[in-house]
Amino acid sequence: MTLYLDANASEPLRPAARAAVLAALDLAGNPSSVHAAGRAARRLLDRARDQVVARFGPAEVVFTAGGTEANALAIRGLAAGRRVLVGATEHPAVLAAAPGAALLPVRPDGTLDLDALEAALRGAPALVCLMAANNETGVIHPVAAAAALCRRHGALLHVDAVQAAGRIPVTLEAFGADSLAISGHKLGGPKGAGTLLLRPGLGLAPLIAGGGQERGRRGGTEPLPAIAGLGAAAEAADPAEAARLAALRDAIEAGCHGAEVSGAGAPRLPNTTSLILPGHAAETQVIALDLAGMQVSAGAACSSGKVGRSHVLAAMGLAEGAIRVSLPWDAPPDAAERFVQAWSAMRDRLSRRTLAGAR
């Protein structure tokens, strides 16, 4: 029996999100139309916006096609006339949206070096891009402290909260950020919808011009089923899940003897662990575990099919060979026990193969 342990790539669909998607599929109207069918669609769109604000606001909400677009919209829209500073362990979507940005170093535990940030903020106004939690290691950055430094130096702060939303408390206000990116399918919603939350009154140029949808911030007819599912998933995400998932994560780390845990000394997402088995390639481990029914990854889903050194591990000064185990919201009670058994068998098998090759 297989066990899905790659929630940081995509969460399983929540029942409430599925129901919201199916209900929206039955609506023929365009949310921009003024007749009855259009008004019904608009009510569903407004409900999703209210659900997002209730969980992550108060803020202006711009619906997008996903977290990548939300990050790109914030960076391209807010960077005009500003230097861009980006954390060294940011997601590839952020790094690609700001190719000329200066990289901010992290400490060995993976958290942002706040002293380096303060030094980098001296000078011309800046836009700082910082993820709330890392997608590979689960390390949680000191976002509120970074925001205080940004305010002191007149900088804007954009937070990529794609991995953190729904797993730890996340609000634009608590972070002190100017913008916040969220992806629906990382919450347990459907793929195809995300949102950018903006500090009220903040100006933002659109990436996609069109018919004036989303208050002129993002053109194109809104994908109502995906957005409805995102809103339902945001409402359904239960903070009480964190304690149960953290207990499973801790049991995995305690049971995988011989593994090193990336970012073990830092605050981390309750569902995420990055395990390094020294001397063994991550791809080899992922394949071996998949054959044993354990579905994990070697890093970000957008790049796990490529062979190359993880920029996250490199920034932390860590060795290669890390696999990411990310527990989904519906992880079964025996998930840790089953994974530890499969991982231990894999470790022993790889160790015997290494010894045999050395003879």
Side-chain angles (χ1 to χ4, degrees):
M1 184 178 177
T2 60
L3 185 58
Y4 182 75
L5 298 172
D6 199 15
N8 286 12
S10 192
E11 284 276 11
L13 193 63
R14 295 178 184 272
R18 180 186 295 277
V21 169
L22 293 176
L25 286 171
D26 286 335
L27 292 181
N30 186 314
S32 297
S33 298
V34 297
H35 49 59
R39 294 197 302 273
R42 170 60 63 175
R43 284 194 293 272
L44 204 59
L45 182 66
D46 289 343
R47 171 168 169 72
R49 205 180 306 276
D50 289 343
Q51 288 169 316
V52 169
V53 169
R55 178 66 73 182
F56 306 115
E60 294 184 14
V61 174
V62 182
F63 286 118
T64 67
T68 294
E69 185 190 338
N71 280 314
L73 175 59
I75 294 168
R76 303 282 176 82
L78 298 176
R82 293 177 177 270
R83 299 175 296 131
V84 182
L85 308 176
V86 177
T89 58
E90 296 299 299
H91 190 276
V94 170
L95 297 173
L103 292 183
L104 299 167
V106 297
R107 298 185 182 280
D109 66 359
T111 57
L112 178 70
D113 186 328
L114 291 171
D115 292 336
L117 171 62
E118 183 160 31
L121 285 171
R122 299 188 183 105
L127 168 66
V128 175
C129 303
L130 179 65
M131 60 187 359
N134 186 263
N135 51 296
E136 292 189 31
T137 63
V139 167
I140 298 171
H141 285 294
V143 176
L149 292 176
C150 288
R151 286 193 297 272
R152 187 184 307 165
H153 292 274
L156 296 178
L157 175 64
H158 168 65
V159 175
D160 174 4
V162 166
Q163 290 296 346
R167 295 174 181 147
I168 59 173
V170 168
T171 67
L172 188 74
E173 192 173 47
F175 279 164
D178 296 286
S179 59
L180 193 75
I182 290 170
S183 177
H185 73 103
K186 302 298 175 76
L187 284 168
K191 301 171 183 68
T195 184
L196 179 67
L197 283 77
L198 294 168
R199 174 170 51 80
L202 188 66
L204 183 79
L207 273 181
I208 303 173
Q213 294 89 348
E214 296 302 294
R215 301 177 184 176
R217 307 292 182 102
R218 202 273 188 184
T221 300
E222 294 92 345
L224 195 56
I227 289 172
L230 185 161
E235 186 175 77
D238 185 0
E241 293 169 1
R244 184 178 70 85
L245 294 177
L248 291 174
R249 179 203 64 189
D250 293 347
I252 286 173
E253 293 176 359
C256 290
H257 303 295
E260 301 173 9
V261 179
S262 309
R268 289 177 294 140
L269 294 176
N271 78 314
T272 305
T273 184
S274 173
L275 302 173
I276 298 176
L277 185 57
H280 298 288
E283 291 80 5
T284 300
Q285 298 176 60
V286 169
I287 293 170
L289 288 168
D290 189 34
L291 292 173
M294 300 292 116
Q295 299 173 354
V296 301
S297 72
C302 61
S303 58
S304 59
K306 306 170 188 174
V307 177
R309 180 164 170 76
S310 163
H311 74 283
V312 174
L313 297 184
M316 295 170 66
L318 296 175
E320 286 297 285
I323 60 169
R324 180 184 67 188
V325 182
S326 47
L327 295 150
W329 63 267
D330 61 351
D334 64 348
E337 179 184 355
R338 289 165 59 189
F339 177 78
V340 168
Q341 183 177 7
W343 186 91
S344 300
M346 176 200 69
R347 175 204 59 205
D348 294 344
R349 209 164 43 247
L350 293 178
S351 297
R352 287 194 299 269
R353 188 183 304 169
T354 299
L355 287 174
R359 289 177 184 148

